[in-house]
Amino acid sequence: MKIDLDQFVARRKALMSNMPADSIAIIPSAQMKQRNNDVEYPFRQDSSFYYLTGFNEPDAMLLLIPGRASGETVLFCRERDKLMEIWNGYRSGPDGAVNDFAFDEAHAIGEIDDVLPALLNGMSRIYYSIGQDEELDQQIRHWLNLIRGKVRQGAVAPTELVMLDHLLNEMRLIKGTEEQDLMRRAGEISAQGHVKAMELCKPGLMEYQLEAEILHHFAMQGARQPAYSTIVGGGSNACILHYIENDQPLADGDLVLIDAGCELEHYAGDITRTFPVNGQFSEPQAALYSLVLKAQKACIDLAKPGVLWDAVHDCSVEVLTKGLIELGLLKESLEEAITAGSYRDFYMHRIGHWLGMDVHDVGDYKVENQWRPLEPGMVMTIEPGLYVAADNMDVDPCWRGIGIRIEDDILITESGCEVLTAAVPKEIDEIEALMASA
Ligand code: GLY
Ligand code: MN
Ligand code: MN
């Protein structure tokens, strides 16, 4: 399962159709990052660059120049190099980029200083996401100054610099059918990974051993990398929202919270499940868990086209706060607890985020300063949680140190939403039955 070359070409065309004549877009690839001597971090292509190119090498730059007679799409990339390829692997080179990725023109990246100022000359507008790469920001300023220095010889310097993010992010926010298929599969693989962890779990295992089980499953299913650092938090570690140490033993009687998702062809899954290490929820664990599940289901029921982004979050706040009052964790009235924000002692994050090539994907949450209505093709997470700090002396001791989050990925459809991650159980009896049968 892969995005076809036609799609990448169509995306470039669609972006250019939103750019005026005499404009140019500059989109850089990601760079390799050094880890320590002679060792680099695994390469992950920049999502926007990949979205438009399908080209998976560092040290590259895409230019889009709508209406340019001699070629609208230009790629700069690494040259072929026999020695470097023996050491570090295959490079497409400019000829390969044109033949295999359908660019109109390609050059060696080393020629960019010679070629780019001439391409910028006469353009009125540059589309570029300034502020993400200081070195490139400076390089672009340098190229502009070169043109400005030649105005008396007839050069015409661009007058407008426009953030590219907005146009591109809106495209990435609405997923096409091929993207939906990939995300459905990323959701399935991620879900099965969580099932494996539930099946393996028992007291005494280390948190990182559940992580290893999940990552092994992802890779065996064709998704080599996770979409983000896996969180496996036993007991009160679940109350640390970005806990990734994962180095503690799992204790009998505790819950374990796992937040893990695979990355498949640059698309993310993002699932959280919380379950008992010994396979059986205690009463207080079940009470809090049932409340989070109720909120999560209410939000999923609500999510459909036209519903405002914030309304989904507000739904989670209302259900959770009401339940916290019923369980005695909050003492105020519903209105007071929501207005004063005291529920935030237990629910301190938002209901979710856009999901796509980045786990916290691009796309505005407000349009003209209003919360945005959901639209078919958007993918988002629904992930309410409750976290009772181990040192919270204001609550009954039975609640202390319990952290619960339940997270699924949903695709907004014409009439409602599709849960992409339904293949891992979240009902208490289903989880207990799965763990008992393992
Ligand atoms: N795994 C990151 C998140 O749930 O937002
Ligand atoms: Mn998550
Ligand atoms: Mn998430």
Side-chain angles (χ1 to χ4, degrees):
M1 208 184 266
K2 269 186 181 297
I3 300 285
D4 288 338
L5 179 58
D6 296 357
Q7 275 292 320
F8 293 112
V9 172
R11 290 169 180 173
R12 301 198 284 260
K13 279 205 164 60
L15 180 57
M16 283 192 283
S17 73
N18 286 315
M19 295 166 55
D22 299 335
S23 67
I24 180 169
I26 304 176
I27 303 133
S29 74
Q31 303 291 337
M32 295 298 291
K33 282 204 177 62
Q34 184 104 5
R35 186 169 181 268
N36 48 34
N37 277 340
D38 299 332
V39 179
E40 284 152 332
Y41 286 103
F43 178 71
R44 167 51 160 85
Q45 188 56 283
D46 175 81
S47 295
S48 286
F49 182 88
Y50 194 83
Y51 179 83
L52 292 168
T53 63
F55 190 76
N56 207 19
E57 295 184 26
D59 297 325
M61 185 99 68
L62 172 68
L63 305 182
L64 298 177
I65 317 169
R68 178 171 174 258
S70 56
E72 294 184 310
T73 61
V74 181
L75 190 83
F76 290 87
C77 63
R78 302 177 304 183
E79 278 187 289
R80 304 285 318 254
D81 180 323
K82 205 162 180 190
L83 188 62
M84 290 304 283
E85 289 183 51
I86 287 171
W87 282 89
N88 296 326
Y90 177 76
R91 298 172 169 200
S92 290
D95 291 342
V98 169
N99 291 334
D100 300 337
F101 296 87
F103 299 109
D104 295 327
E105 190 177 313
H107 302 273
I109 187 79
E111 292 169 14
I112 199 161
D113 276 327
D114 300 328
V115 180
L116 207 69
L119 292 173
L120 292 177
N121 182 11
M123 293 291 160
S124 58
R125 182 182 284 191
I126 302 178
Y127 285 89
Y128 170 64
S129 295
I130 199 162
Q132 294 182 1
D133 178 341
E134 204 163 319
E135 209 175 311
L136 186 56
D137 291 354
Q138 278 182 16
Q139 212 173 351
I140 288 181
R141 210 169 53 204
H142 168 70
W143 292 327
L144 284 174
N145 284 336
L146 281 180
I147 305 172
R148 290 189 190 116
K150 289 190 182 151
V151 285
R152 277 179 297 279
Q153 287 102 296
V156 178
T159 50
E160 273 185 86
L161 182 62
V162 180
M163 290 295 277
L164 178 66
D165 308 36
H166 183 70
L167 282 182
L168 195 51
N169 294 355
E170 284 298 299
M171 289 174 64
R172 281 179 52 191
L173 177 59
I174 306 295
K175 275 71 181 175
T177 45
E178 289 189 12
E179 294 179 289
Q180 292 174 18
D181 288 345
L182 276 174
M183 293 195 73
R184 202 170 278 117
R185 183 71 189 129
E188 268 170 25
I189 295 172
S190 303
Q192 290 159 0
H194 281 260
V195 169
K196 295 277 180 199
M198 286 179 188
E199 287 172 346
L200 184 76
C201 191
K202 60 173 191 240
L205 273 187
M206 300 300 285
E207 293 166 338
Y208 59 74
Q209 290 175 316
L210 291 187
E211 177 182 12
E213 177 75 359
I214 289 173
L215 297 185
H216 176 259
H217 178 77
F218 289 173
M220 294 309 281
Q221 296 301 310
R224 186 173 166 204
Q225 308 280 357
Y228 53 91
S229 301
T230 300
I231 296 170
V232 182
S236 63
N237 291 336
C239 299
I240 303 167
L241 297 178
H242 292 158
Y243 175 79
I244 52 171
E245 284 87 350
N246 301 355
D247 60 356
Q248 294 301 308
L250 294 162
D252 201 351
D254 277 351
L255 295 175
V256 56
L257 180 153
I258 301 185
D259 187 342
C262 74
E263 184 170 277
L264 183 69
E265 295 293 331
H266 295 83
Y267 286 85
D270 183 7
I271 301 181
T272 307
R273 288 291 184 268
T274 311
F275 55 92
V277 169
N278 64 13
Q280 289 274 318
F281 285 87
S282 72
E283 251 180 61
Q285 288 168 351
L288 269 192
Y289 185 92
S290 301
L291 175 54
V292 177
L293 186 58
K294 184 174 170 190
Q296 206 237 8
K297 287 181 180 171
C299 292
I300 292 175
D301 283 348
L302 181 65
K304 58 173 80 58
V307 170
L308 298 187
W309 166 263
D310 208 35
V312 186
H313 178 69
D314 290 347
C315 169
S316 68
V317 169
E318 182 161 341
V319 176
L320 291 175
T321 308
K322 218 183 254 178
L324 286 169
I325 292 167
E326 281 165 17
L327 293 173
L329 283 117
L330 285 175
K331 310 279 187 249
E332 305 109 301
S333 71
L334 180 63
E335 204 189 311
E336 281 166 350
I338 291 181
T339 315
S342 45
Y343 68 86
R344 288 200 196 99
D345 287 348
F346 306 103
Y347 178 39
M348 57 293 278
H349 57 73
R350 302 282 298 180
I351 187 62
H353 48 83
W354 306 133
L355 183 73
M357 299 182 78
D358 296 337
V359 65
H360 288 185
D361 207 26
V362 295
D364 293 334
Y365 291 91
K366 280 188 162 178
V367 176
E368 290 171 4
N369 213 22
Q370 302 295 321
W371 290 107
R372 149 174 231 162
L374 302 179
E375 292 172 47
M378 291 174 167
V379 179
M380 60 185 280
T381 64
I382 301 281
E383 49 178 308
L386 287 174
Y387 314 88
V388 187
D391 60 358
N392 185 337
M393 294 302 143
D394 298 333
V395 300
D396 189 284
C398 74
W399 307 116
R400 291 180 197 153
I402 299 181
I404 294 164
R405 179 163 65 253
I406 306 172
E407 174 175 31
D408 280 304
D409 305 340
I410 63 168
L411 164 67
I412 305 297
T413 60
E414 294 296 330
S415 58
C417 69
E418 174 188 344
V419 180
L420 303 177
T421 46
V424 52
K426 58 184 174 188
E427 299 294 335
I428 286 181
D429 54 353
E430 288 172 355
I431 293 174
E432 290 186 342
L434 173 72
M435 294 182 74
S437 69

